Amino acid sequence: NRLGGPGSLPKGLEQAPLARSLRVLNLSGNRFSEVPPALLQLRGLRSLSLGGNRLHGIPPDIQELHSLEFLYLGGNFITAIPPELAKLPSLRYLVLCDNKIQSIPPQLAQLHSLRSLSLHNNLLTYLPREILNLVHLEELSLRGNPLVVRFVRDLTYNPPSLQELAGRTVKTRNVPYTASDLPDSLVRYLSLASNCPNPKCGGVYFDSCVRQIKFVDFCGKYRLPLMHYLCSPECSSPFSSASQSSTSQSESDSEDEASVAAHRMQKVLLG
């Protein structure tokens, strides 16, 4: 249809009796340029389809639809995925194909119920390594993305600040402290430590890290570029380097990650 302008939806929709009982709503193939705020009040929705519209973004308030199991937003002009989308505990099927999405927020790994993720025909060049934490994911569609196989050799690395060096020491050496020992800002800072994924390191990082692409085998056949964040350049040696050949990349892939993906994933669509 041609819904999308002012007055397209009934006034007071969110207060109507229908709003409490409505479970499936399909508004695909219309002219909505944004998700109508009234839809975000339909807390009983289990399926929402807004494909083939003119959406340029996903509102953070999408997190209010706690019962949502199926979300179809394919065929729009969406450029980014808000982290709040990861706060949909029941979401099983997420369709974001045919958009202009350039990156996937690592928070999506919190969608523990997700079974199918459709991202084909976007602008993705890599995936966050956290995608391996989607324990129930069975289908991942990535065809039509510029998943790159060559990267810049010299990756930038800003040296850690004195605050970060101190924080790393506190965390890696398990220096005891209580909330009364430090200002609240430093306590919060120490709580933001991220573990280095290098199993031989055991270190942590805060703001200063090395971004590196690593190729991981999925299903024993497909090689996907995953983004890793390492605590220092020295930690890149056990991982695949952008300047190495594909053979050495394969040898340096994490066997644990590859075996987990091969055991769990049933369908990876790249072409």
Side-chain angles (χ1 to χ4, degrees), residues 78-99:
I78 298 170
T79 58
I81 302 174
E84 289 80 3
L85 188 63
K87 297 181 180 180
L88 297 176
S90 303
L91 196 63
R92 295 163 59 89
Y93 301 94
L94 177 58
V95 181
L96 295 168
C97 60
D98 298 292
N99 278 286

Side-chain angles (χ1 to χ4, degrees), residues 22-27 44-50 65 67-72 91:
L22 192 62
R23 297 292 180 266
V24 179
L25 179 59
N26 189 341
L27 291 171
L45 275 184
R46 295 178 182 173
S47 175
L48 175 61
S49 299
L50 282 165
L65 301 179
S67 301
L68 207 60
E69 299 178 4
F70 177 89
L71 179 60
Y72 190 103
L91 196 63

